[in-house]
Amino acid sequence: MPAIIEPVTIDGGAARVELNGGNLGANRPGLNITAGNSTVRALVINRFSGAGIQISGQGGNTLQNCLIGLNAAGTAAQGNDRGIVIDNVPNNL
């Protein structure tokens, strides 16, 4: 997926949307957020060969109610190479 370069809200809803990176190549993040003031809510992010979520650039990003490195039920590990990588501050996790 391309980097998120403009502020955005991504909301997986009550059922949570799953991003599964199991079939991607090496060193691929699930979400790469370079924009500030973005919100990621209610996602399941697993099996990426890079970070589940990588945040760099501007701050003010918020992560809420996400399952990083778990299955959709939240009951079993399905890890990413790294969970959440933050290259700047401040962000709200």
Side-chain angles (χ1 to χ4, degrees):
M1 293 184 1
I4 297 169
I5 59 173
E6 297 291 330
V8 66
T9 296
I10 300 171
D11 190 340
R16 288 196 181 106
V17 170
E18 182 176 359
L19 301 180
N20 178 335
N23 292 323
L24 295 179
N27 200 27
R28 302 289 300 265
L31 292 178
N32 182 9
I33 302 172
T34 62
N37 301 311
S38 291
T39 298
V40 176
R41 178 181 309 121
L43 293 184
V44 177
I45 302 175
N46 57 38
R47 301 183 212 167
F48 284 89
S49 59
I53 299 177
Q54 182 165 337
I55 301 173
S56 61
Q58 308 211 14
N61 298 292
T62 301
L63 304 178
Q64 298 175 328
N65 196 27
C66 292
L67 297 176
I68 311 298
L70 297 171
N71 66 3
T75 59
Q78 291 182 333
N80 303 291
D81 183 61
R82 295 173 307 273
I84 301 169
V85 175
I86 301 173
D87 292 332
N88 68 329
V89 292
N91 290 283
N92 303 306
L93 306 177

